[in-house]
Amino acid sequence: MYWALYQLFAPGFDYSGFPSAERFAMGEELSKHIVALPQGGGSKFLSYPVVAQYYHESGNKDRAIELVEQTLKALEGPEPISDDLKQHLLPELLQALANYKGEKVCYGALCVAPQEDSPKR
């Protein structure tokens, strides 16, 4: 489900040839199923950034922000997450959060401003 949603909503892809209504209908169904999955091995949160991208593009900015914030909290959660994975995910998560909020966000010493070319919803 994650890979299907990724292919439909990952930033940087050109979706102009894909009918918008179908793309968003599939995104809605996939997102509902992903979020409803039981917690399994601590990796459920890894799918949240692409789910957040769907919500952001569909106009539900608050839900997108909530999912990114849940992912950030999971990085510090009780299940061990490697420092390498944290260092890889953190800049991308903060950039998404800054873009969705339209303001500078910080996590520890790392601060990120929204990108000028990010889509505003």
Side-chain angles (χ1 to χ4, degrees):
M1 288 187 291
Y2 167 82
W3 285 111
L5 192 62
Y6 180 84
Q7 290 176 340
L8 290 168
F9 289 94
F13 290 120
D14 177 13
Y15 299 107
S16 60
F18 196 101
S20 182
E22 286 85 353
R23 180 173 166 249
F24 282 96
M26 285 188 284
E28 180 179 16
E29 285 303 312
L30 289 166
S31 294
K32 285 180 188 176
H33 288 292
I34 290 170
V35 171
L37 288 171
Q39 185 70 17
S43 61
K44 178 179 175 177
F45 76 91
L46 293 175
S47 63
Y48 281 7
V50 75
V51 175
Q53 181 68 28
Y54 156 74
Y55 280 109
H56 182 258
E57 284 191 38
S58 67
N60 192 342
K61 184 173 79 169
D62 292 338
R63 182 67 170 141
I65 290 168
E66 177 186 346
L67 289 167
V68 174
E69 288 175 342
Q70 286 179 8
T71 304
L72 287 168
K73 286 179 188 174
L75 291 178
E76 299 302 325
E79 297 190 28
I81 296 170
S82 75
D83 285 336
D84 288 342
L85 182 57
K86 284 182 190 178
Q87 295 307 312
H88 173 74
L89 291 175
L90 196 53
E92 293 175 19
L93 291 170
L94 290 179
Q95 188 63 66
L97 190 58
N99 292 347
Y100 298 165
K101 287 185 167 187
E103 63 188 39
K104 180 180 172 181
V105 296
C106 296
Y107 183 89
L110 183 59
C111 293
V112 176
Q115 292 178 336
E116 293 288 325
D117 61 346
S118 70
K120 304 276 191 258
R121 299 270 178 192

